[in-house]
Amino acid sequence: MKVGVLSFQGGVIEHLNHIKLLGHIGIEVKKEEDLNDIEAIILPGGESTTIGKLLKVTGLITPLKKKIKSGLPTWGTCAGMILLANEIEAQEEKYLEAMDIKVERNGFGTQIDSFKIRKGIKEVSDKNVELVFIRAPYITEVKETVEILCEVDNKIVAAKQKNIIVTAFHPELTDDLSFLSYFLKSTPGEI
Ligand code: GLN
């Protein structure tokens, strides 16, 4: 499968490495033409304001929005989750507005409040998975069509709506490929 990774900034290489390890082809996505033959896309962690600005100045935002709306399987990790949200707490600016969630940026605190835990997510693996949080957001509101996959401290940190999955944590920074594998198997789309 050809899996795109939005490649402006942030944890791009880590996702590309995991895609390769699972036997798929990773494609760097920076411009509209790069969307042509991908079958899924990952929006990595990083800084949502920077990635969002680059989405807008390059003009990629509109064709990407269309692709996601038409069913392209999409996974946003951390900053990627913020980019996909319909609403962001205390912030007017929005980006892809693709998912019925409201998010709180840096909801778990600053860089020094970054942390790791192990937790079971039944949809993803029958073993506990390692969850790495780095200046992570969380979801403060969801519409009823959003499926909640994981909560930590009563905060929603992973969710799914149709072809879109979001995680506040970073599976690509661990050795565990189960989340990527779950994403590629479970999102209905054009594939
Ligand atoms: N705090 C970052 C933001 O608001 C997200 C952090 C991350 O992606 N690890 O964009």
Side-chain angles (χ1 to χ4, degrees):
M1 224 175 128
K2 288 188 181 161
V3 184
V5 180
L6 184 64
S7 297
F8 290 140
Q9 190 256 344
V12 173
I13 298 294
E14 293 81 358
H15 277 298
L16 288 171
N17 287 344
H18 272 201
I19 291 164
K20 204 169 172 188
L21 282 171
L22 263 193
H24 298 290
I25 301 162
I27 310 256
E28 290 187 32
V29 173
K30 289 186 182 158
K31 52 185 189 315
E32 184 170 358
E33 302 82 81
D34 300 330
L35 296 173
N36 287 346
D37 61 356
I38 57 170
E39 296 156 284
I41 191 163
I42 296 174
L43 314 181
E47 197 51 47
S48 56
T49 48
T50 306
I51 304 173
K53 194 174 279 172
L54 288 163
L55 273 175
K56 288 179 183 177
V57 297
T58 56
L60 184 60
I61 192 156
T62 307
L64 179 57
K65 233 180 192 176
K66 262 194 214 143
K67 272 274 198 185
I68 296 172
K69 216 180 177 128
S70 72
L72 181 72
T74 302
W75 174 19
T77 50
C78 206
M81 167 163 124
I82 298 165
L83 295 171
L84 288 162
N86 271 352
E87 282 187 276
I88 304 169
E89 300 277 357
Q91 182 175 314
E92 282 292 309
E93 189 166 22
K94 298 171 217 176
Y95 307 99
L96 294 161
E97 297 173 82
M99 188 172 182
D100 290 321
I101 56 171
K102 188 169 187 178
V103 298
E104 168 93 34
R105 293 182 61 204
N106 303 315
F108 287 100
T110 59
Q111 189 81 19
I112 50 164
D113 302 307
S114 297
F115 62 100
K116 268 186 207 174
I117 55 162
R118 294 190 73 82
K119 202 170 160 59
I121 306 179
K122 64 177 186 325
E123 290 81 355
V124 174
S125 172
D126 42 18
K127 296 195 201 95
N128 277 355
V129 284
E130 189 177 25
L131 310 182
V132 178
F133 292 84
I134 303 170
R135 285 180 296 115
Y138 64 82
I139 299 172
T140 55
E141 280 175 36
V142 295
K143 289 241 168 89
E144 59 286 348
T145 48
V146 174
E147 181 190 344
I148 295 168
L149 297 173
C150 181
E151 288 180 81
V152 169
D153 294 342
N154 293 319
K155 296 178 169 88
I156 305 167
V157 293
K160 178 171 188 287
Q161 186 178 31
K162 292 193 254 172
N163 54 313
I164 305 173
I165 288 178
V166 289
T167 56
F169 47 86
H170 294 268
E172 78 286 4
L173 298 181
T174 73
D175 293 335
D176 193 344
L177 299 172
S178 56
F179 213 102
L180 175 61
S181 170
Y182 162 71
F183 164 59
L184 295 176
K185 274 190 213 131
S186 69
T187 39
E190 294 164 331
I191 45 174

